[in-house]
Amino acid sequence: MIRLVRSSTLREMNAQTVEMHNRASHEYGRAETLVVDVANVQALLEEERTAACDMGENLLRSQDLVETLEKALAAARDDLARAQGELSILRSQQLLDTEDRAALRALLRIARRQQARPDRVHVLYRYGRLHSVHSTRDEAEIAAEEEGADRAGWTSPSATDVAPNPNEIAWRIQPMALGSVK
């Protein structure tokens, strides 16, 4: 079958073909531009995805760091509470030690005073009459010697000696316990 096409129709067809070709070229250029744009968007998307992954990793590291710091803070708070407890115990212990030291000093002063007190005195008699009272035997002898007693005349009576009457002895020293009555 042969068809006859008129020249005007042929021209129209040629014009349509050219127009279609131009449109196809235009669309092809547009498609190439879109392909380039899609490639650029994909590259940007990959960069954003990489940045998001980096940010995610940074976020995870930051969360780990925060967790570690929170644990360290909790441990530091525990240490601080423990140290404050120990400090309060040490302060109370120091107060007790201070009170104990003060009490010990007071007891020591009392003990020294009691030790400083003689447990006896030495009474000096002259012919049986009380002459003076002295804290030591030496002091009593010195007092008697100042009154004229013989320096070599001091002797201690033995158990076998018969004791003379106290009124007959010129100077006599008798130790007497404090707090006793004789």
Side-chain angles (χ1 to χ4, degrees):
M1 246 197 272
I2 296 184
R3 220 185 215 185
L4 290 175
V5 178
R6 296 193 283 180
S7 61
S8 65
T9 306
L10 183 63
R11 268 187 259 141
E12 277 179 25
M13 286 174 82
N14 281 339
Q16 285 177 354
T17 304
V18 169
E19 187 181 325
M20 287 175 108
H21 177 43
N22 288 340
R23 193 180 286 159
S25 293
H26 174 70
E27 291 297 322
Y28 182 75
R30 201 168 146 220
E32 283 180 349
T33 303
L34 286 175
V35 167
V36 170
D37 288 345
V38 166
N40 289 338
V41 167
Q42 283 177 339
L44 285 174
L45 180 63
E46 188 60 33
E47 287 176 13
E48 292 297 322
R49 189 176 292 139
T50 303
C53 287
D54 290 345
M55 288 177 69
E57 289 175 4
N58 288 339
L59 178 63
L60 289 176
R61 277 194 296 263
S62 297
Q63 287 174 340
D64 289 344
L65 182 61
V66 166
E67 203 173 289
T68 303
L69 291 174
E70 285 174 346
K71 287 179 184 177
L73 178 61
R77 285 183 177 154
D78 290 344
D79 290 344
L80 177 63
R82 192 175 311 108
Q84 286 175 337
E86 289 174 2
L87 179 62
S88 67
I89 290 170
L90 289 174
R91 282 183 180 155
S92 62
Q93 183 64 43
Q94 190 240 357
L95 291 175
L96 287 175
D97 288 348
T98 303
E99 290 173 0
D100 289 347
R101 277 188 247 131
L104 283 173
R105 277 191 221 111
L107 289 172
L108 186 59
R109 279 193 295 270
I110 291 169
R112 285 180 181 155
R113 278 190 219 129
Q114 288 177 347
Q115 286 178 350
R117 291 183 191 157
D119 59 343
R120 67 185 58 195
V121 292
H122 297 273
V123 180
L124 180 60
Y125 291 97
R126 183 168 187 176
Y127 291 108
R129 292 179 55 179
L130 176 65
H131 180 272
S132 58
V133 179
H134 303 276
S135 59
T136 65
R137 182 172 181 86
D138 290 337
E139 288 176 6
E141 287 178 6
I142 291 169
E145 290 169 358
E146 287 175 355
E147 294 288 327
D150 184 16
R151 290 183 188 263
W154 301 103
T155 60
S156 297
S158 64
T160 60
D161 289 342
V162 177
N165 186 354
N167 293 337
E168 297 173 1
I169 302 171
W171 295 98
R172 178 173 63 97
I173 299 172
Q174 181 176 344
M176 188 174 286
L178 288 175
S180 67
V181 178
K182 288 190 177 186

